[in-house]
Amino acid sequence: MNTKQLMIFKHFVEQQNENVVAEMLQISQPTVTFHLKNLQKSYGVPLYLKKGKQLNLTEAGQMLYQNSTKILTLMSETEDLMEDFKTSKRGTLRIGASNAPIYSILPDTVKQYLEAYPTIDVKLSVDTAPRVIEMIHNREVDVGVISENGLPLEGLEVKRLTENPLMLSMDQEHPLASKDDIHLQDIKSYPFVIHSTGSTRESIDEWLNANLLEIDATMQSNNMNSLIETIRGSEFLSLMSACVVNHPDIISKPLPNPPKNRHISLVFKSDRYITPMIQNFISLLYKSI
């Protein structure tokens, strides 16, 4: 096994075409075929079955593909790390973020970072908090900024930045907008639009279960703009993170019997070396709180 064979195998699995792999790696198609055959021969087990254009990995091939991806990613990360040590001026900062920080502290932080370090490229991946955690474990991102209410700490460093409670959101003209104290019975009278997945949905389900409450969820979406636009000028209610509601027509009120508190947190792998490039971002993030 060598890294060239692993790279050829990885691209072959993803592209399922030897000619495409040859063009990507700027080598000949017979070279691709040669290395794929030698790779299977060296392990002594079939890695894939190909019939026409259809490629199916064996169990051994699936494991090799997964580990090849990890190895090549770690090698690339090491190269970036060495380059960052050498210059501390160029590189790519990979950030994973859930929706809540995207609508609150993260935009200003990223803007300040780009202005302060114009030669650094920033790659921002936005997804649910569980998916961002997965990306951190797989080393697809350097750091994550997410909304969470408690994470398994194995292999992770979690730095809580600010509280982010779950709130009841509504249009400013909603019948409940003028009430100082909202009770569970008040909520049952109105339809809801809520998050479909992610840590916010987990908190919603926790709150509903704890209060033995059922709501009329007319729409479910992870698009914050669609949720906000739906409740604006209507009698729909929503359950949102406190930090995401910044529309002038929308107000938020504390929930009765709220779930355990949530936070906006910085998350990264415990064994990740914090390069100057990453540390500069973290410093700006703390200043934005």
Side-chain angles (χ1 to χ4, degrees), residues 96-111:
S98 61
N99 280 293
I102 284 293
Y103 284 85
S104 53
I105 65 174
L106 206 50
D108 282 344
T109 302
V110 171
K111 180 181 178 181

Side-chain angles (χ1 to χ4, degrees), residues 165-170 176 179-188 192 203-204 206-213 215 237-239 252-260:
L166 189 66
M167 305 286 283
L168 182 69
S169 300
M170 67 197 76
L176 295 182
K179 291 180 66 73
D180 293 329
D181 295 314
I182 295 178
H183 304 285
L184 294 176
Q185 195 60 39
D186 299 323
I187 293 173
K188 292 180 180 180
F192 276 76
S203 291
I204 292 172
E206 175 191 335
W207 178 70
L208 292 174
N209 291 333
N211 289 283
L212 302 177
L213 184 65
I215 58 175
L237 297 174
S238 190
L239 298 163
S252 294
K253 291 180 174 288
L255 284 172
N257 306 325
K260 65 181 178 181

Side-chain angles (χ1 to χ4, degrees), residues 76-107:
S76 176
E77 180 183 303
T78 302
E79 291 292 333
D80 290 342
L81 182 62
M82 294 302 104
E83 181 65 22
D84 196 50
F85 268 122
K86 186 170 71 175
T87 66
S88 292
K89 293 181 179 179
R90 295 191 180 276
T92 300
L93 177 64
R94 302 170 302 167
I95 306 168
S98 61
N99 280 293
I102 284 293
Y103 284 85
S104 53
I105 65 174
L106 206 50

Side-chain angles (χ1 to χ4, degrees), residues 3 23 30 44 81 99 121 123 125 128 132 143 151 156-157 167 169 175 178-179 192 213 216 236 248-249 258 273 288:
T3 55
E23 185 176 344
L81 182 62
N99 280 293
D121 294 327
K123 182 180 179 182
S125 301
T128 62
V132 173
V143 295
L151 291 173
L156 296 177
E157 291 289 334
M167 305 286 283
S169 300
S178 60
K179 291 180 66 73
F192 276 76
L213 184 65
D216 178 14
F236 286 106
D249 295 336
Y273 180 83
S288 299

Side-chain angles (χ1 to χ4, degrees), residues 1-13 25 35-36 39 43 64-65 67-69 71-72 75:
M1 178 184 67
N2 57 52
T3 55
K4 184 175 184 179
Q5 288 179 333
L6 292 182
M7 185 173 294
I8 289 173
F9 179 71
K10 177 180 181 295
H11 287 305
F12 178 61
V13 172
L25 300 180
H35 282 295
L36 289 173
L39 190 62
Y43 285 119
L64 181 62
Y65 171 71
N67 288 343
S68 295
T69 301
I71 290 169
L72 293 169
M75 289 180 63

Side-chain angles (χ1 to χ4, degrees), residues 24-41:
M24 289 175 62
L25 300 180
Q26 296 184 330
I27 57 179
S28 68
Q29 183 270 327
T31 300
V32 172
T33 302
F34 171 79
H35 282 295
L36 289 173
K37 287 182 178 178
N38 276 1
L39 190 62
Q40 292 202 91
K41 184 178 179 180

